[in-house]
Amino acid sequence: MFSSWLTLLNRGLTTPIGGVAPLIWGSLSRSLMLSSQRRVPELSSFVARTNTCGELRSSHLGQEVTLCGWIQYRRQNIFLVLRDFQGLVQVLIPQDEKTEALRLQYRYLDLRSFQMQYNLRLRSQMVMKMREYLCGRHGFVDVETPTLFKRTPGGAKEFVIPSREPGKFYSLPQSPQQFKQLLMIGGLDRYFQVARCYRDEGSRPDRQPEFTQIDIEMSFVDQTGIRSLIEGLLQYSWPSDKGPVGVPFLSMTFAEALASYGTDKPDTRFGMKIVDISDMFRNTEHICGFLQDALSQPQGTAKAICVPEGAKYLKRKDIESIRKFAADHFDQEVLPVFPKANRNWNSPVAKVVMEEQGLGLIRRMETQEEDMVLLTAGEHESVCSLLGKLRLECADLLEARGVVLRDPALFSFLWVVDFPLFLPKEENPRELVSAHHPFTAPHPSDIHLLHTEPKKVRSQHYDLVLNGNEIGGGSIRIHNAQLQRYILETLLKEDVRLLSHLLQALDSGAPPHGGIALGLDRLICLVTGAPSIRDVIAFPKSFRGHDLLSSAPDFVPPEDLKPYHIQVSWPTGSGAEENSLNQPQHPES
C-alpha cells in the first residue's frame, strides 16, 4: 500500500505542470464550492490521540492532550519535536531524578548538547565582558584570595579541612569577605575576583555546595556608587540578543517590599500586590471569626490580594489547597471572596464581608469580573509573608491554565535597601544575629539606636533582585575597629578572638569601603532561561551534593587518615566500615 502511494506521488510530481493545470483548477473550484457544505473531519476518532500535532493552538492551553507521531528531533533529553501527518509540535520532557542523575554521571556526553554548549559559551562571554569593564575601563585589580582559611563566626555552615596538626582544621571560605576588606585596608582601592565559594549545605535548583561569585570591593564609596557600578557592569556585559538593560534599576526599601509583595525578593513582572484593608473592618460591628480576633489585637492587621480571573481559572480543589497551606505552614485562615463572580462560591463569612464592605472592597482592590480576593488577618509580618507565598502560588496556577503573568523574555531588576541590621535568634528571640553578616555598617541615621534599641537599627545592606531571584548582595562595611568590636562582642556575643586579625587591621587605619557579590551561576541561569543552575555549570554537584561523574565524596582508607589524626566513628549496624574497604560506586538515589 505504501509503495503504491509513493508511486502515485512520484507520478504526480513528474507530470508536466502545463498539461494538468486545467484539471487541477477545475477540481479545486469544485472542492471550494463543496467545502462549505462538508463537516470538518474528526481526525482523532477511534484512536488513542485526542488531537493531531498540527491542530494545537493557544486555545488548547491548560488542556490535557494525547498526541501520537514520530520523534523528528530531540534536544538534551529535555525537548523533542513530534510530527504527524498534520504538522509539528514541541514537547517538554518531564525531568525526574533518574534523568538528572544520568546527565551528571555522563556529563562529558551531556556537554555535547546544543543547550549546554550555548550556556557555557554565553557564560564565558559575559565573564569576559565583566572583566573588561571592571579591570580595563575602571581600574579594578583582579586578586586571587586563599581557599584554605579559618572558621568564621555566623553565616552558613562551612566545609572543614583537616591539617597535619592535631585538632587543627582549615575551613573553606563562604566568600572572600574578610580578604577583600583587608585588601582595602592594604590600599588596593578597587578589587575584583571571579571567586569560588563554599557552603556545606544541600543543593537546590538555585544553589550548590560550591558556587561562583563576581566579587567586588571599593574604597571611599557609598551605596549610590556601588549600585551605579553594577548597573553599568550588567548593561555592558548583557547579551545583545536578550534586549537592552534599562538603568537606573528600580529601588524599594525592605519594609516596602514586605508590605507590597510579602518577600524581600519580589518578582515585579506582575501585580497582585498586597493591600491593607484593616481600616475597612476594624470598626465593623457584624464581622466575625478570625477577622475580629486578629483586629482586636494591638498589632493586628487585615490584608488581601486580588487574583485576576481567579474565579474563572481556579478550581475548588485549588482554593482548598491554598487554605490548607495557610493553616499548615502559617497557622492562619485565608478567606476567598468573589466580589463580582457569577459562581456562588462565597462562604457564609465571605457573604457577611460582602454585605458589610462589598462595595468598599471592590473599590479598594480594584476588582474586575471573575476576580477572586484572598483575605487574611493577623500580625503584619506573618500576614505579608503568607500572602507573598500565595501570590506566587496563584501565579503558578494561573499560568498552568494559560494565563500569561510573568513574561519569560522580560528582565525586571530591582534594588532592595534598608534591611534590618539584626534579627532575633530563632532559638532565643532575646538574643541577636546579623541579618546578613557582622561586618555590615549600620545606617548613619540609626547609629544612636545601637546602644538602646538595636532591633530597630537599619543596615547599609542592599540586594539586587531579578525576576524574583536574589542575584547579588552587598553592603557598606564597618571601618571603625571600636564599632566592629562592640557589635561582635556586646550585641552578637561572638568570640572576638576568631576575628582578632581583622580588628587589628581596622585599627591600623581603614578607609570607608563597601562592595557586592553577584551570584554568577544564578545570573547565567536566569539569562539563559535554564531550569537549574546545574545547567550553566560544566561539572555541577547533585541535589545531595555528590559528584556523580567521579563518585565523590568517596571513602578514604584508615592509613591515609592517620597523618591528620582522624579516626572515623561508624554508625552502629550501618555496614559503612566494611563498604569503605571495598570502595564501591555510589549511585545517586
Side-chain angles (χ1 to χ4, degrees):
M1 181 177 178
F2 176 78
S3 59
S4 301
W5 172 81
L6 187 60
T7 303
L8 289 170
L9 176 63
N10 287 333
R11 188 181 302 158
L13 290 173
T14 55
T15 303
I17 297 296
V20 298
L23 177 61
I24 293 175
W25 173 247
S27 300
L28 182 59
S29 301
R30 286 193 298 272
S31 176
L32 289 173
M33 291 173 60
L34 293 172
S35 62
S36 60
Q37 303 171 13
R38 294 175 180 169
R39 291 184 57 191
V40 176
E42 177 52 66
L43 300 175
S44 296
S45 54
F46 311 113
V47 292
R49 66 173 177 252
T50 60
N51 300 83
T52 63
C53 296
E55 69 179 345
L56 293 182
R57 299 290 183 270
S58 59
S59 59
H60 292 93
L61 282 171
Q63 297 181 21
E64 183 175 308
V65 299
T66 302
L67 306 176
C68 299
W70 287 261
I71 296 176
Q72 178 154 315
Y73 178 70
R74 183 193 297 265
R75 187 177 73 193
Q76 203 182 345
N77 283 328
I78 297 179
F79 299 99
L80 61 84
V81 174
L82 191 71
R83 68 173 175 85
D84 63 10
F85 65 95
Q86 258 213 332
L88 305 172
V89 66
Q90 180 173 271
V91 180
L92 175 66
I93 305 172
Q95 298 296 293
D96 56 21
E97 290 186 16
K98 186 176 181 181
T99 304
E100 175 87 359
L102 284 172
R103 289 183 60 205
L104 297 183
Q105 185 178 357
Y106 299 99
R107 191 60 163 185
Y108 47 87
L109 299 179
D110 190 54
L111 289 173
R112 297 176 185 176
S113 68
F114 168 82
Q115 194 63 52
M116 286 302 302
Q117 291 276 324
Y118 172 81
N119 292 350
L120 295 179
R121 292 179 188 277
L122 181 69
R123 178 183 178 127
S124 173
Q125 291 165 10
M126 288 189 68
V127 170
M128 180 185 69
K129 295 285 284 184
M130 288 178 176
R131 194 183 300 274
E132 182 181 302
Y133 182 84
L134 292 169
C135 299
R137 292 190 167 223
H138 294 284
F140 280 77
V141 183
D142 188 347
V143 179
E144 296 178 2
T145 54
T147 300
L148 296 178
F149 193 42
K150 66 180 295 183
R151 184 170 64 89
T152 304
K157 194 170 183 178
E158 297 169 328
F159 284 101
V160 175
I161 309 298
S163 75
R164 292 178 180 266
E165 297 184 49
K168 291 190 175 182
F169 296 83
Y170 296 105
S171 287
L172 299 183
Q174 302 174 40
S175 75
Q177 179 61 48
Q178 293 182 52
F179 289 113
K180 61 182 181 180
Q181 290 192 242
L182 293 170
L183 288 171
M184 297 304 101
I185 296 170
L188 214 66
D189 193 67
R190 296 185 170 197
Y191 145 87
F192 151 76
Q193 181 184 187
V194 181
R196 298 292 286 170
C197 306
Y198 308 89
R199 291 176 181 169
D200 189 6
E201 54 189 26
S203 293
R204 297 192 317 215
D206 64 345
R207 183 168 292 179
Q208 280 248 130
E210 53 182 343
F211 54 97
T212 307
Q213 290 182 349
I214 302 296
D215 205 46
I216 294 170
E217 197 79 5
M218 296 176 69
S219 295
F220 307 105
V221 73
D222 58 11
Q223 285 195 49
T224 302
I226 293 291
R227 286 160 56 178
S228 296
L229 169 74
I230 296 304
E231 289 170 1
L233 173 69
L234 289 170
Q235 195 174 43
Y236 186 84
S237 61
W238 199 253
S240 58
D241 63 336
K242 300 298 180 181
V245 172
V247 297
F249 299 158
L250 294 176
S251 174
M252 70 175 62
T253 66
F254 167 78
E256 290 169 341
L258 183 66
S260 296
Y261 297 97
T263 177
D264 59 0
K265 45 180 184 291
D267 189 339
T268 53
R269 289 176 296 174
F270 70 107
M272 288 172 60
K273 289 186 179 181
I274 299 170
V275 179
D276 193 313
I277 54 174
S278 305
D279 59 308
M280 297 176 59
F281 296 101
R282 199 174 295 278
N283 299 317
T284 302
E285 295 182 1
H286 301 294
I287 210 69
C288 58
F290 73 102
L291 279 172
Q292 186 180 51
D293 295 340
L295 293 175
S296 64
Q297 301 299 317
Q299 303 299 321
T301 181
K303 299 180 185 293
I305 59 172
C306 178
V307 182
E309 297 188 288
K312 178 179 179 181
Y313 289 103
L314 299 189
K315 303 173 183 177
R316 282 189 180 272
K317 66 176 183 179
D318 299 324
I319 297 168
E320 289 306 312
S321 176
I322 287 170
R323 300 187 69 181
K324 186 176 186 304
F325 174 85
D328 292 347
H329 295 275
F330 288 83
D331 194 24
Q332 287 184 204
E333 187 172 344
V334 171
L335 181 65
V337 181
F338 303 89
K340 292 184 176 182
N342 294 326
R343 299 182 186 180
N344 187 23
W345 281 8
N346 280 324
S347 67
V349 176
K351 289 177 181 177
V352 172
V353 167
M354 288 303 299
E355 290 170 3
E356 293 287 331
Q357 293 291 348
L359 291 176
L361 189 66
I362 290 171
R363 284 195 295 266
R364 179 74 61 87
M365 302 303 299
E366 299 180 353
T367 59
Q368 303 296 322
E369 202 72 31
E370 301 290 358
D371 286 355
M372 175 182 72
V373 172
L374 292 179
L375 189 154
T376 189
E379 186 270 329
H380 170 75
E381 187 171 331
S382 178
V383 166
C384 289
S385 296
L386 169 58
L387 289 177
K389 291 268 194 308
L390 297 184
R391 173 178 178 264
L392 296 176
E393 177 65 20
C394 289
D396 289 340
L397 290 169
L398 290 174
E399 289 187 333
R401 293 177 172 92
V403 181
V404 179
L405 289 176
R406 296 168 289 194
D407 183 355
L410 177 65
F411 295 95
S412 181
F413 289 94
L414 173 73
W415 288 107
V416 180
V417 300
D418 289 354
F419 285 84
L421 186 62
F422 304 111
L423 296 173
K425 272 187 178 180
E426 289 187 9
E427 60 273 18
N428 186 357
R430 289 179 297 180
E431 295 183 7
L432 300 175
V433 294
S434 294
H436 291 93
H437 59 62
F439 315 115
T440 301
H443 195 286
S445 303
D446 295 348
I447 289 181
H448 66 284
L449 296 173
L450 282 173
H451 299 278
T452 55
E453 297 179 283
K455 290 183 180 180
K456 294 184 178 180
V457 177
R458 293 168 296 164
S459 72
Q460 294 193 66
H461 180 92
Y462 33 84
D463 275 352
L464 181 59
V465 178
L466 174 58
N467 294 355
N469 298 270
E470 179 193 334
I471 62 165
S475 66
I476 302 302
R477 323 299 186 189
I478 298 170
H479 65 279
N480 179 280
Q482 185 178 357
L483 176 59
Q484 184 67 83
R485 180 182 291 274
Y486 174 78
I487 286 178
L488 287 168
E489 195 170 38
T490 305
L491 297 181
L492 299 177
K493 314 295 183 187
E494 295 285 0
D495 184 356
V496 295
R497 291 174 298 179
L498 292 171
L499 293 167
S500 58
H501 56 285
L502 179 63
L503 292 171
Q504 186 176 357
L506 290 172
D507 208 28
S508 70
H513 58 283
I516 194 170
L518 297 179
L520 181 62
D521 307 313
R522 197 175 298 176
L523 173 62
I524 302 299
C525 181
L526 292 170
V527 171
T528 59
S532 163
I533 63 170
R534 284 182 289 280
D535 292 303
V536 298
I537 301 172
F539 299 100
K541 299 293 185 288
S542 71
F543 269 108
R544 294 173 57 193
H546 291 183
D547 178 2
L548 302 185
L549 180 65
S550 65
S551 297
D554 204 355
F555 292 104
V556 176
E559 57 269 21
D560 289 350
L561 294 176
K562 284 182 180 179
Y564 301 104
H565 312 281
I566 291 176
Q567 185 175 358
V568 177
S569 176
W570 300 103
T572 304
S574 67
E577 183 173 11
E578 181 180 347
N579 291 339
S580 69
L581 300 176
N582 298 326
Q583 297 190 9
Q585 298 295 313
H586 296 281
E588 188 77 357
S589 59

